[in-house]
Amino acid sequence: MSGYFSVCSTYMYQHRYMDFLLANYKELNMPYPFPVTLSYISSPLLIHGGAILYFDDEDEPAGALGYIYGTGENDYEDRHVIQIQVAFLTEQNRGSRLFLEGLCFLIQHLAEQADAELPQEIHFWTAKDVRKHRLFSKFAKQSENVEGEYGGMSGYKVSLAHLRTYITSLSRDRRVRVCDPEGGTS
Protein backbone atom coordinates (compact mmCIF):
# COMPACT_ATOMS: atom_id res chain seq x y z
CA MET A 1 0.00 0.00 0.00
CA SER A 2 1.25 3.42 -0.85
CA GLY A 3 -1.40 5.53 0.84
CA TYR A 4 -0.81 8.38 3.23
CA PHE A 5 -2.38 10.18 6.20
CA SER A 6 -3.21 13.87 6.17
CA VAL A 7 -4.41 16.25 8.86
CA CYS A 8 -7.60 18.03 7.83
CA SER A 9 -6.32 21.55 8.43
CA THR A 10 -8.04 23.29 5.51
CA TYR A 11 -11.69 23.65 4.62
CA MET A 12 -11.21 21.40 1.56
CA TYR A 13 -9.84 18.54 3.68
CA GLN A 14 -12.48 19.07 6.37
CA HIS A 15 -15.15 18.88 3.68
CA ARG A 16 -13.63 15.64 2.34
CA TYR A 17 -13.55 14.25 5.90
CA MET A 18 -17.26 14.90 6.40
CA ASP A 19 -18.21 13.70 2.90
CA PHE A 20 -16.25 10.48 3.40
CA LEU A 21 -17.78 9.68 6.78
CA LEU A 22 -21.31 10.55 5.64
CA ALA A 23 -20.89 8.41 2.52
CA ASN A 24 -19.88 5.53 4.81
CA TYR A 25 -22.50 6.19 7.48
CA LYS A 26 -23.93 2.65 7.48
CA GLU A 27 -20.49 1.02 7.55
CA LEU A 28 -19.50 3.12 10.57
CA ASN A 29 -21.88 0.92 12.59
CA MET A 30 -22.21 3.55 15.28
CA PRO A 31 -24.95 2.50 17.68
CA TYR A 32 -26.70 5.87 17.63
CA PRO A 33 -29.40 7.53 15.56
CA PHE A 34 -28.13 9.75 12.74
CA PRO A 35 -28.22 13.10 14.62
CA VAL A 36 -26.08 11.70 17.46
CA THR A 37 -23.65 10.07 15.01
CA LEU A 38 -23.41 13.36 13.10
CA SER A 39 -22.49 15.17 16.32
CA TYR A 40 -19.71 12.67 17.03
CA ILE A 41 -18.18 12.76 13.57
CA SER A 42 -18.38 16.54 13.22
CA SER A 43 -17.28 17.52 16.75
CA PRO A 44 -13.53 17.30 15.94
CA LEU A 45 -14.08 20.09 13.40
CA LEU A 46 -16.38 22.18 15.57
CA ILE A 47 -14.70 22.10 18.97
CA HIS A 48 -11.02 21.91 19.80
CA GLY A 49 -9.82 18.66 18.28
CA GLY A 50 -8.54 17.29 15.04
CA ALA A 51 -9.47 15.25 12.03
CA ILE A 52 -7.23 12.99 9.96
CA LEU A 53 -7.90 11.32 6.62
CA TYR A 54 -6.19 8.30 5.14
CA PHE A 55 -5.86 8.44 1.34
CA ASP A 56 -5.36 5.27 -0.70
CA ASP A 57 -2.90 4.92 -3.57
CA GLU A 58 -5.48 6.48 -5.93
CA ASP A 59 -5.64 9.59 -3.71
CA GLU A 60 -9.18 8.80 -2.55
CA PRO A 61 -10.23 8.94 1.11
CA ALA A 62 -10.20 5.41 2.56
CA GLY A 63 -10.13 6.12 6.30
CA ALA A 64 -10.81 8.80 8.88
CA LEU A 65 -10.05 9.54 12.50
CA GLY A 66 -11.48 12.37 14.57
CA TYR A 67 -10.65 13.35 18.15
CA ILE A 68 -11.44 16.05 20.67
CA TYR A 69 -9.58 17.33 23.71
CA GLY A 70 -11.17 16.47 27.04
CA THR A 71 -14.19 14.42 28.04
CA GLY A 72 -17.83 15.34 28.48
CA GLU A 73 -17.95 14.13 32.08
CA ASN A 74 -15.28 16.72 32.95
CA ASP A 75 -16.73 19.54 30.82
CA TYR A 76 -13.81 19.14 28.37
CA GLU A 77 -11.44 20.74 30.87
CA ASP A 78 -9.32 17.58 31.23
CA ARG A 79 -7.17 18.56 28.27
CA HIS A 80 -4.53 15.97 29.13
CA VAL A 81 -7.00 13.51 27.54
CA ILE A 82 -8.03 13.16 23.94
CA GLN A 83 -11.17 11.28 23.13
CA ILE A 84 -11.47 9.48 19.81
CA GLN A 85 -14.86 10.37 18.33
CA VAL A 86 -14.61 8.24 15.19
CA ALA A 87 -12.07 5.87 13.65
CA PHE A 88 -12.88 4.13 10.38
CA LEU A 89 -11.07 2.35 7.56
CA THR A 90 -12.85 1.01 4.51
CA GLU A 91 -13.03 -2.76 4.54
CA GLN A 92 -10.45 -3.26 1.79
CA ASN A 93 -7.96 -1.14 3.76
CA ARG A 94 -8.35 -2.79 7.15
CA GLY A 95 -5.23 -4.49 8.41
CA SER A 96 -2.85 -4.54 11.35
CA ARG A 97 -0.07 -2.62 9.65
CA LEU A 98 -2.30 0.25 8.52
CA PHE A 99 -3.98 0.34 11.95
CA LEU A 100 -0.54 0.70 13.57
CA GLU A 101 0.53 3.32 11.03
CA GLY A 102 -2.61 5.28 11.89
CA LEU A 103 -1.82 5.11 15.61
CA CYS A 104 1.74 6.27 14.88
CA PHE A 105 0.51 9.15 12.75
CA LEU A 106 -1.85 10.21 15.54
CA ILE A 107 0.95 10.14 18.15
CA GLN A 108 3.29 12.11 15.88
CA HIS A 109 0.56 14.61 15.02
CA LEU A 110 -0.21 15.20 18.70
CA ALA A 111 3.49 15.74 19.44
CA GLU A 112 3.73 18.34 16.64
CA GLN A 113 0.89 20.47 17.97
CA ALA A 114 2.77 23.60 19.03
CA ASP A 115 -0.18 25.30 20.72
CA ALA A 116 -1.25 22.34 22.83
CA GLU A 117 0.29 20.43 25.68
CA LEU A 118 0.91 16.83 24.69
CA PRO A 119 -2.02 14.74 25.90
CA GLN A 120 -1.20 11.96 28.33
CA GLU A 121 -4.17 9.67 27.69
CA ILE A 122 -6.44 8.51 24.89
CA HIS A 123 -10.04 7.47 25.59
CA PHE A 124 -12.46 5.83 23.19
CA TRP A 125 -15.76 3.95 23.19
CA THR A 126 -16.97 1.12 21.01
CA ALA A 127 -20.01 -1.09 20.78
CA LYS A 128 -19.53 -4.25 22.81
CA ASP A 129 -18.00 -6.85 20.55
CA VAL A 130 -15.68 -9.77 21.33
CA ARG A 131 -13.46 -9.17 18.25
CA LYS A 132 -13.06 -5.48 19.02
CA HIS A 133 -12.29 -6.28 22.65
CA ARG A 134 -9.52 -8.70 21.58
CA LEU A 135 -8.00 -6.01 19.37
CA PHE A 136 -8.29 -3.06 21.74
CA SER A 137 -7.26 -4.94 24.88
CA LYS A 138 -3.87 -5.58 23.26
CA PHE A 139 -2.92 -1.96 23.86
CA ALA A 140 -5.65 -0.33 25.97
CA LYS A 141 -7.33 -1.07 29.26
CA GLN A 142 -11.08 -1.52 29.30
CA SER A 143 -12.35 1.10 31.72
CA GLU A 144 -16.13 0.78 31.54
CA ASN A 145 -19.01 -1.32 30.30
CA VAL A 146 -22.37 0.37 30.09
CA GLU A 147 -25.81 -0.58 28.90
CA GLY A 148 -27.67 2.39 27.60
CA GLU A 149 -30.36 3.63 25.33
CA TYR A 150 -28.32 2.61 22.28
CA GLY A 151 -27.06 -0.76 23.51
CA GLY A 152 -23.92 -1.97 25.23
CA MET A 153 -20.77 0.11 25.01
CA SER A 154 -17.23 -0.50 26.21
CA GLY A 155 -14.87 2.31 27.14
CA TYR A 156 -11.09 2.02 26.81
CA LYS A 157 -8.16 4.11 28.01
CA VAL A 158 -4.48 4.04 27.12
CA SER A 159 -1.65 6.33 28.11
CA LEU A 160 0.35 7.84 25.29
CA ALA A 161 3.53 6.40 26.84
CA HIS A 162 2.07 2.88 26.88
CA LEU A 163 0.84 3.22 23.30
CA ARG A 164 4.33 4.27 22.16
CA THR A 165 5.85 1.27 23.97
CA TYR A 166 3.30 -1.09 22.42
CA ILE A 167 3.96 0.14 18.88
CA THR A 168 7.72 0.01 19.36
CA SER A 169 7.55 -3.54 20.72
CA LEU A 170 5.40 -4.71 17.81
CA SER A 171 7.82 -3.19 15.35
CA ARG A 172 10.67 -5.10 17.01
CA ASP A 173 8.78 -8.37 17.49
CA ARG A 174 7.64 -8.58 13.89
CA ARG A 175 10.95 -7.35 12.55
CA VAL A 176 8.92 -5.03 10.41
CA ARG A 177 9.37 -1.42 11.27
CA VAL A 178 5.95 0.17 11.14
CA CYS A 179 7.07 3.51 12.53
CA ASP A 180 9.00 5.25 15.20
CA PRO A 181 6.33 6.80 17.45
CA GLU A 182 8.80 9.58 18.23
CA GLY A 183 9.70 10.21 14.59
CA GLY A 184 8.50 9.18 11.15
CA THR A 185 7.14 6.09 9.46
CA SER A 186 9.38 3.74 7.59
Side-chain angles (χ1 to χ4, degrees):
M1 273 188 197
S2 58
Y4 62 96
F5 292 91
S6 180
V7 175
C8 300
S9 56
T10 66
Y11 175 76
M12 180 192 75
Y13 279 96
Q14 293 169 359
H15 193 278
R16 290 186 81 180
Y17 167 86
M18 287 302 297
D19 283 349
F20 172 73
L21 288 172
L22 291 172
N24 288 283
Y25 168 70
K26 287 187 179 186
E27 289 79 22
L28 290 175
N29 291 321
M30 292 182 85
Y32 312 110
F34 180 76
V36 176
T37 298
L38 181 61
S39 73
Y40 276 107
I41 65 177
S42 63
S43 61
L45 303 175
L46 301 173
I47 62 176
H48 192 68
I52 297 168
L53 277 173
Y54 171 73
F55 290 91
D56 64 17
D57 53 2
E58 295 178 7
D59 209 31
E60 290 298 320
L65 180 136
Y67 66 90
I68 59 172
Y69 285 88
T71 59
E73 58 267 14
N74 291 309
D75 293 325
Y76 305 99
E77 292 181 17
D78 50 348
R79 301 192 43 85
H80 67 285
V81 174
I82 66 160
Q83 186 166 270
I84 304 295
Q85 298 293 85
V86 65
F88 176 75
L89 286 169
T90 57
E91 191 168 342
Q92 63 269 27
N93 287 286
R94 290 181 193 148
S96 298
R97 184 178 177 91
L98 188 55
F99 181 74
L100 290 172
E101 287 177 6
L103 289 174
C104 269
F105 187 88
L106 175 62
I107 291 170
Q108 293 162 2
H109 166 67
L110 292 171
E112 292 169 359
Q113 298 302 300
D115 65 334
E117 187 176 314
L118 187 63
Q120 301 302 306
E121 234 176 33
I122 298 173
H123 295 191
F124 60 95
W125 287 86
T126 184
K128 282 186 185 178
D129 178 282
V130 173
R131 280 187 2 199
K132 289 178 184 174
H133 178 71
R134 272 196 306 258
L135 171 65
F136 299 139
S137 64
K138 290 179 181 179
F139 63 88
K141 189 173 246 183
Q142 187 172 355
S143 58
E144 295 182 63
N145 267 317
V146 296
E147 291 295 329
E149 174 180 359
Y150 306 115
M153 301 287 291
S154 296
Y156 293 86
K157 295 179 181 180
V158 62
S159 72
L160 221 53
H162 178 76
L163 189 55
R164 279 191 188 106
T165 301
Y166 172 75
I167 291 169
T168 302
S169 70
L170 276 181
S171 294
R172 281 190 215 126
D173 289 348
R174 294 186 178 173
R175 296 177 192 185
V176 175
R177 189 153 186 207
V178 174
C179 71
D180 172 3
E182 304 293 334
T185 58
S186 57

